[in-house]
Amino acid sequence: MKVVTVVGARPQFIKAAPVSRHLRERAQEILVHTGQHYDTAMSDIFFDELEIPSPDYHLGIGSKSHGAQTGEMLTKVEEVLEKETPDWVLVYGDTNSTLAGALAASKLHIPVAHVEAGLRSFNRRMPEEINRVLTDHISRALFCPTQTAVDHLEKEGIRQGVHFVGDVMVDALRFNRTLAQERSDLPNRLGYGSGSYILVTLHRAENTDHPRRLKEIVNALNELPLPAVMPLHPRTRGQLERYGFTIRNPSVHVIQPVGYLDMVALEASAGKILTDSGGVQKEAFLMEIPCITMRDETEWTETIRQKTNILVGADKRKILEAVENFTVSFSLVEPVFGDGKAADRIVKQLLNEP
């Protein structure tokens, strides 16, 4: 059996790694990298660190408007699929690469398998929400990380091909946390002990593309009362420069983007995490770090129900209040994201194995 896997962004490399390891033991995988994350620090380093085979195709699309980027991906992915004629196209998450891969496959009548199906933030203004909804509705196999995701699909009338497999991020993090312990001492090199700092990540368009929201977050960062480490996403750096906003707080240690193993090390040693990332919210949950999310909603509703994560939007007062006061009793938290065997279940379903 031949499977074409389409990835393009940092979170997808992480999710694809454990599935790829299982898949390549039993089938042929062709890996297509769209180039959506084109910066070396955001892309190439992941293939080295996570022991992912080099892409068979690197489409080199790069940064563009949503329409232009998705359209170019659709054209180039279609060319690959016509050449390779796979049995399945496997896509991950909710990026433009996800939607382009799924659309290209469906128009060629190639079945689509979607890992992380059924997630919903219920905010249709988010490009990611549109991507995940459309991808789910054209997929043949839908691999859900949680029962909540299964329930969302059922409410939308999607019942065939739905599989509750658990979350591949559990698989990935178990493997990668061990690698991080062996290979990264970044917190120590930065001079921080365990639990002594807040880890800050900021990249989502709903924050960085809106001056009012971005200014409110920057104002909060400039009043943070505790030490913080902030790997600055290249796009966020550009938006800060565009709008003339500056992080002046000497307690906020702004650093260049880091590789995934360094990021895992920073997460594991943080006292709290302040983020607008979907993946970081879940990693915080799995590593038992209190998470403060600078969004108005989240697709990871389980983390809110388990009270390990709090939504503060782009509100300076709420951000600072949560930094000061938000705590979590992880002894009361249920393991809602599975047992770390999701990748094996996904491959078995694709290959129709018992």
Side-chain angles (χ1 to χ4, degrees):
M1 178 176 285
K2 181 190 288 189
V3 177
V4 166
T5 296
V6 179
V7 294
R10 176 177 177 146
Q12 294 170 327
F13 309 146
I14 300 163
K15 296 164 193 168
V19 178
S20 199
R21 279 191 286 272
H22 284 273
L23 185 58
R24 288 176 183 240
E25 293 175 356
R26 290 121 85 179
Q28 180 184 8
E29 182 187 34
I30 304 297
L31 187 61
V32 178
H33 181 359
T34 65
Q36 183 170 338
H37 275 176
Y38 54 92
D39 184 274
T40 299
M42 302 296 289
S43 174
D44 293 353
I45 191 172
F46 277 69
F47 291 91
D48 296 331
E49 286 191 338
L50 302 185
E51 301 177 6
I52 305 172
S54 296
D56 299 280
Y57 296 88
H58 197 307
L59 305 184
I61 306 297
S63 181
K64 293 176 172 62
S65 69
H66 284 289
Q69 188 182 64
T70 307
E72 190 171 345
M73 287 176 184
L74 182 59
T75 298
K76 292 190 175 183
V77 171
E78 183 180 64
E79 292 172 358
V80 172
L81 298 182
E82 288 178 328
K83 178 181 177 181
E84 294 291 343
T85 61
D87 299 288
W88 284 94
V89 170
L90 182 60
V91 297
Y92 291 81
D94 55 18
T95 70
N96 290 340
S97 299
T98 311
L99 180 59
L103 278 173
S106 66
K107 289 177 181 296
L108 294 172
H109 308 292
I110 301 168
V112 178
H114 185 201
V115 175
E116 244 181 32
L119 300 189
R120 297 291 183 269
S121 69
F122 301 103
N123 179 358
R124 290 293 178 95
R125 296 185 65 183
M126 290 175 58
E128 295 88 350
E129 183 78 352
I130 300 301
N131 291 343
R132 62 174 70 106
V133 170
L134 293 176
T135 299
D136 282 342
H137 280 264
I138 56 177
S139 292
R140 179 87 58 86
L142 301 101
F143 298 118
C144 297
T146 63
Q147 182 59 47
T148 303
V150 174
D151 295 342
H152 288 158
L153 293 176
E154 185 171 5
K155 288 176 182 177
E156 294 175 17
I158 303 174
R159 299 176 181 86
Q160 297 297 317
V162 176
H163 308 282
F164 176 19
V165 296
D167 199 318
V168 292
M169 287 295 289
V170 180
D171 307 38
L173 195 58
R174 287 183 178 180
F175 183 84
N176 297 329
R177 193 170 185 178
T178 300
L179 288 181
Q181 289 169 344
E182 295 171 353
R183 301 181 188 179
S184 176
D185 65 346
L186 182 57
N188 290 333
R189 284 190 278 119
L190 294 175
Y192 296 102
S194 180
S196 67
Y197 61 91
I198 300 166
L199 177 63
V200 181
T201 78
L202 174 66
H203 78 279
R204 194 169 288 271
E206 67 186 87
N207 288 326
T208 61
D209 288 0
H210 296 274
R212 183 191 62 78
R213 292 181 68 93
L214 186 58
K215 183 178 181 180
E216 190 81 356
I217 291 169
V218 170
N219 287 343
L221 295 178
N222 283 332
E223 294 184 26
L224 280 183
L226 301 172
V229 176
M230 184 178 185
L232 191 58
H233 194 289
R235 189 171 172 282
T236 305
R237 185 183 296 277
Q239 293 297 81
L240 290 173
E241 293 173 356
R242 175 186 178 187
Y243 296 123
F245 301 151
T246 304
I247 299 171
R248 300 185 180 90
N249 187 343
S251 295
V252 180
H253 189 168
V254 177
I255 63 175
Q256 293 296 316
V258 298
Y260 182 61
L261 297 183
D262 280 339
M263 187 64 179
V264 170
L266 285 173
E267 290 171 346
S269 293
K272 293 179 182 178
I273 292 175
L274 178 63
T275 188
D276 61 3
S277 162
V280 172
Q281 290 176 60
K282 192 165 43 174
E283 287 168 347
F285 178 95
L286 297 174
M287 288 191 275
E288 300 189 350
I289 309 295
C291 187
I292 302 161
T293 297
M294 296 179 289
R295 288 171 56 187
D296 300 321
E297 66 283 305
T298 178
E299 56 274 23
W300 298 113
T301 54
E302 295 85 359
T303 66
I304 303 299
R305 289 201 297 270
Q306 295 284 322
K307 299 182 179 179
T308 67
N309 186 9
I310 184 172
L311 297 174
V312 294
D315 185 310
K316 184 182 80 169
R317 180 187 61 80
K318 290 181 179 180
I319 292 169
L320 293 174
E321 184 177 282
V323 165
E324 288 273 17
N325 301 316
F326 182 57
T327 59
V328 180
S329 298
F330 279 98
S331 61
L332 304 177
V333 173
E334 299 176 11
V336 293
F337 292 113
D339 58 5
K341 298 178 181 178
D344 184 53
R345 293 189 185 101
I346 288 167
V347 172
K348 284 180 176 177
Q349 285 291 342
L350 284 178
L351 303 183
N352 199 25
E353 295 179 354

